[in-house]
């Protein structure tokens, strides 16, 4: 059984990393899971848009969540690789629940503001 937060979002889906920030450095609700730069890493678009995981099958998502690798698609690194090594790889049916959740997230193309880091946004405010 998949563990969900209060917003019915799988806890392991890191919206803090994959959702860009607005001008007040809060999560941009209109850019939910559309990708962002965090701590020197790029957390990619997890929406069903073509710039995200739109062309991925549910089985490919499960494979990525379990192993961190999908041939010709992606290789996990940084925080995602750690999450897979220490947590996600031990799940089974939960991975299918997470993949199904991600496939239903509304499409959001990666845009020009989507990848700004918290530090870059702070510079814009100053």
């Amino acid at each position: 059984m998949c563990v969900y937060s209060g917003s019915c979002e799988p806890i392991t889906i890191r919206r803090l990393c994959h959702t860009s920030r607005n001008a007040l450095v809060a999560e941009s609700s209109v850019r939910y899971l559309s990708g962002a730069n965090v701590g020197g890493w790029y957390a990619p678009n997890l929406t069903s848009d073509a710039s995200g995981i739109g062309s991925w099958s549910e089985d490919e998502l499960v494979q990525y969540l379990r192993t961190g690798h999908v041939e010709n698609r992606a290789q996990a690194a940084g925080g995602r690789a750690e999450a897979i090594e220490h947590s996600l790889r031990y799940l089974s049916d939960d991975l299918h629940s997470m993949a199904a959740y991600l496939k239903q997230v509304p499409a959001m193309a990666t845009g020009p503001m989507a990848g700004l880091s918290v530090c870059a946004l702070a510079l814009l405010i100053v």
Side-chain angles (χ1 to χ4, degrees):
M1 177 181 216
C2 194
V3 179
Y4 290 91
S5 67
S7 64
C8 294
E9 172 187 26
I11 289 174
T12 53
I13 305 301
R14 296 291 311 266
R15 77 171 182 226
L16 292 173
C17 296
H18 293 271
T19 301
S20 63
R21 303 298 172 147
N22 64 24
L24 299 175
V25 194
E27 289 179 21
S28 174
S29 60
V30 298
R31 306 286 320 160
Y32 178 66
L33 295 180
S34 66
N37 286 316
V38 179
W41 294 94
Y42 179 69
N45 184 338
L46 294 180
T47 73
S48 57
D49 188 75
S51 64
I53 59 166
S55 64
W56 288 49
S57 71
E58 194 169 307
D59 287 339
E60 286 175 318
L61 287 171
V62 168
Q63 178 185 339
Y64 179 76
L65 291 170
R66 180 174 289 121
T67 68
H69 179 77
V70 176
E71 191 72 32
N72 299 318
R73 290 254 189 223
Q75 175 65 48
R80 176 54 60 203
E82 291 173 6
I84 290 165
E85 180 181 352
H86 300 294
S87 176
L88 293 174
R89 70 185 182 135
Y90 298 107
L91 303 176
S92 58
D93 291 341
D94 291 345
L95 296 178
H96 289 277
S97 297
M98 287 183 238
Y101 175 84
L102 287 172
K103 290 300 284 180
Q104 62 84 36
V105 171
M108 173 67 61
T110 303
M113 292 293 285
L116 286 181
S117 67
V118 172
C119 295
L121 286 169
L123 291 174
L124 290 175
I125 295 170
V126 177

